[in-house]
């Protein structure tokens, strides 16, 4: 068992004919992901890496019984691509695209919520990978992941890779790694991922990688405390050394007064009895799995 993706995942790639779409389609196929079709308006009938291309998501879904999309479309087309994927009936949508306007992201998330059975991951995220199922719907480097028992959920792509590598070297491996993205408006959040890991037999412990800005980490800490979360959780917060007044790279890393600081997040996890690592390399030593 894993969360979100497995061998039953049938993927379409929206924006498959672009440079990023082509490159990551080849990488996902090499990893073992079942990519059944691509979508680029006006490019129907072409092939990329042996994958047939269609003009619309609906056509690709109908022809190949796809249930998941990953999108590499430019930011200005992200809104229409998400709405098209939701309306085509896909159950999981992974939006890699950076720089999506807030109003476009809000509209996309609202349409998915209205449908009720669609999970949106991102935008501005590295995607999701389940090593034991050899399924990657994302842009992570294939070689650092290994099947195992630690679930990872993160706002940071690069820290996901670094901490996954530490768990690989420690022979713990990963059940599923989910990059939820660093934007202010995202689909799946920490609490949603924690609920999935709670019910996943393959996951024995969870690493939560947060950063300054917003209150997603504080909300996750409250959920862990209030529910008596049954699996060990370890956290890491990026940006604790950020100078006051400096704007960080992620759109969601915005601090307003005392809200969203590294201190407030670390205190929230401490109150929930969640160990917080000072450095990524300390995560493995804090895990009790």
């Amino acid at each position: 068992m894993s969360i979100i993706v497995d061998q039953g995942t049938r993927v379409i790639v929206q924006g498959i004919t672009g440079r990023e779409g082509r490159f990551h389609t080849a990488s996902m196929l090499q990893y073992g992901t079942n990519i059944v079709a691509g979508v680029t308006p006006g490019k129907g009938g072409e092939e990329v890496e042996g994958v047939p291309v269609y003009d619309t998501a609906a056509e690709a879904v109908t022809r190949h019984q796809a249930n998941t999309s990953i999108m590499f479309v430019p930011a200005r087309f992200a809104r229409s691509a998400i709405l098209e994927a939701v309306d085509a009936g896909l159950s999981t949508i992974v939006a890699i695209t950076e720089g999506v306007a807030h109003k476009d992201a809000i509209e996309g998330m609202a349409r998915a919520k209205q449908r009720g059975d669609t999970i949106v991951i991102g935008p501005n995220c590295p995607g999701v990978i389940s090593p034991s199922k050899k399924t990657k719907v994302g842009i992570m480097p294939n070689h650092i992941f290994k099947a195992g028992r630690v679930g990872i959920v993160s706002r940071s792509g690069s820290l996901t890779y670094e901490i996954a590598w530490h768990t690989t070297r420690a022979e713990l491996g990963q059940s599923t790694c989910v990059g939820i993205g660093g934007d202010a408006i995202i689909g799946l959040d920490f609490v949603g991922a924690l609920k999935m890991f709670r019910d996943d037999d393959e996951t024995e412990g969870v690493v939560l990688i947060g950063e300054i800005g917003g209150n997603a980490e504080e909300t996750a800490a409250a959920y862990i405390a209030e529910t008596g979360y049954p699996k060990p959780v370890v956290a890491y917060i990026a940006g604790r050394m950020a100078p006051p007044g400096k704007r960080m790279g992620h759109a969601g890393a915005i601090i307003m007064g005392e809200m969203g600081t590294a201190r407030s997040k670390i205190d929230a996890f401490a109150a929930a009895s969640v160990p917080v690592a000072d450095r990524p390399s300390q995560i493995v030593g804090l895990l009790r799995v």
Side-chain angles (χ1 to χ4, degrees):
M1 187 176 168
S2 58
I3 69 168
I4 305 174
V5 296
D6 56 24
Q7 296 98 330
T9 297
R10 299 174 61 82
V11 181
I12 64 169
V13 180
Q14 292 177 269
I16 194 172
T17 56
R19 183 181 63 180
E20 296 298 317
R22 289 177 182 272
F23 177 83
H24 290 292
T25 293
S27 177
M28 289 186 285
L29 286 168
Q30 184 181 41
Y31 193 71
T33 306
N34 185 15
I35 298 177
V36 297
V39 177
T40 299
K43 299 289 182 70
E46 297 185 7
E47 283 192 356
V48 173
E49 300 289 338
V51 174
V53 179
Y54 297 90
D55 290 321
T56 68
E59 187 178 7
V61 170
T62 300
R63 293 287 187 91
H64 298 277
Q65 296 76 52
N67 52 30
T68 296
S69 167
I70 181 169
M71 58 182 60
F72 296 96
V73 303
R76 64 183 184 280
F77 300 134
R79 170 190 167 276
S80 59
I82 293 173
L83 298 182
E84 182 181 346
V86 173
D87 292 343
L90 293 159
S91 58
T92 301
I93 299 168
V94 178
I96 303 296
T97 307
E98 298 182 23
V100 179
H102 285 183
K103 64 180 178 57
D104 292 346
I106 290 170
E107 188 172 350
M109 304 312 157
R111 182 71 67 86
K113 185 176 182 180
Q114 184 180 41
R115 182 176 171 84
D117 58 354
T118 302
I119 300 170
V120 179
I121 301 172
N124 190 15
C125 75
V128 55
I129 183 169
S130 289
S132 69
K133 306 302 184 291
K134 301 303 293 181
T135 300
K136 177 182 80 168
V137 185
I139 61 174
M140 304 88 156
N142 296 345
H143 66 284
I144 64 174
F145 295 91
K146 178 181 181 180
R149 46 202 171 108
V150 178
I152 298 177
V153 54
S154 173
R155 287 173 69 183
S156 166
S158 57
L159 284 170
T160 304
Y161 312 155
E162 181 177 354
I163 292 172
W165 176 238
H166 284 301
T167 60
T168 293
R169 293 187 64 187
E171 299 294 330
L172 293 172
Q174 310 86 39
S175 54
T176 299
C177 301
V178 190
I180 60 175
D183 281 4
I185 309 298
I186 59 173
L188 183 70
D189 59 11
F190 283 131
V191 172
L194 284 167
K195 290 178 178 177
M196 294 179 185
F197 282 131
R198 179 194 60 198
D199 299 330
D200 177 32
D201 295 338
E202 200 172 289
T203 301
E204 297 181 16
V206 179
V207 176
L208 189 154
I209 306 169
E211 62 183 15
I212 58 173
N215 66 350
E217 293 79 3
E218 290 89 337
T219 301
Y223 165 77
I224 291 167
E226 292 167 1
T227 62
Y229 196 72
K231 298 182 179 181
V233 180
V234 175
Y236 175 76
I237 303 299
R240 63 174 66 197
M241 301 301 290
K246 287 288 185 181
R247 180 171 180 172
M248 305 300 289
H250 278 172
I254 299 172
I255 295 175
M256 294 174 289
E258 296 301 316
M259 296 288 291
T261 64
R263 184 74 265 161
S264 71
K265 297 174 188 300
I266 293 169
D267 289 346
F269 282 122
S273 299
V274 173
V276 180
D278 292 329
R279 298 187 297 277
S281 59
Q282 294 176 331
I283 288 285
V284 167
L286 293 173
L287 275 171
R288 297 291 180 262
V289 296

